[in-house]
């Protein structure tokens, strides 16, 4: 449960250790190890999407991720009011191609409300 990751009243940026290098703005998944990993076609982890990296995170280092329920401002080229999905290859688009997961609704060209879904 995502609410277990932070105390009541905490923000929606949570620090995680990276399992592999993650670029700023990448869609990331929460792995069974408790680490985060970039969503890519090669690791089939889109179903475990947890949020968007706030900045680049080196492998085995800690970094912040804006998780579901938060607002990420580390994205670009969005259309306000449009629903967005994380694709199996880690791209974020308006298309819902299985096994894509809905991640939220764009608030502006550079921000997205990452909808919390338990």
């Amino acid at each position: 449960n995502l609410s277990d990751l932070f105390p009541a009243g905490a923000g929606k940026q949570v620090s995680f250790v990276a399992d592999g290098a993650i670029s700023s703005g990448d869609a990331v998944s929460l792995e069974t190890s408790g680490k985060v990993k970039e969503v890519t076609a090669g690791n089939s982890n889109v179903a475990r999407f947890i949020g968007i990296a706030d900045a680049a995170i080196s492998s085995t280092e800690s970094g912040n991720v804006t998780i579901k329920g938060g607002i990420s401002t580390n994205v670009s080229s969005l259309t306000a009011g449009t629903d967005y999905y994380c694709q199996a290859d880690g791209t974020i688009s308006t298309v819902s191609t299985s096994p894509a997961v809905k991640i939220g609704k764009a608030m502006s060209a550079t921000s997205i409300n990452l909808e919390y879904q338990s």
Side-chain angles (χ1 to χ4, degrees):
N1 188 340
L2 289 178
S3 62
D4 295 335
L5 296 174
F6 49 89
K12 301 298 182 185
Q13 284 77 30
V14 177
S15 181
F16 290 97
V17 174
D19 180 3
I22 298 172
S23 297
S24 178
D26 276 354
V28 297
S29 63
L30 182 60
E31 301 301 302
T32 56
S33 64
K35 297 178 180 180
V36 291
K37 190 170 201 160
E38 175 186 3
V39 175
T40 66
N43 59 26
S44 304
N45 57 349
V46 70
R48 295 186 306 272
F49 170 85
I50 191 171
I52 297 175
D54 291 346
I57 310 170
S58 298
S59 184
T60 71
E61 297 297 321
S62 295
N64 286 339
V65 173
T66 298
I67 62 170
K68 295 181 200 179
I71 296 172
S72 175
T73 57
N74 201 21
V75 288
S76 62
S77 304
L78 304 179
T79 301
T82 302
D83 289 334
Y84 281 84
Y85 301 82
C86 181
Q87 304 301 315
D89 64 1
T91 59
I92 297 172
S93 75
T94 59
V95 178
S96 176
T97 304
S98 185
V101 295
K102 184 176 179 185
I103 62 169
K105 187 175 292 251
M107 300 174 62
S108 71
T110 59
S111 66
I112 186 169
N113 182 352
L114 298 175
E115 298 171 351
Y116 178 77
Q117 299 166 2
S118 58

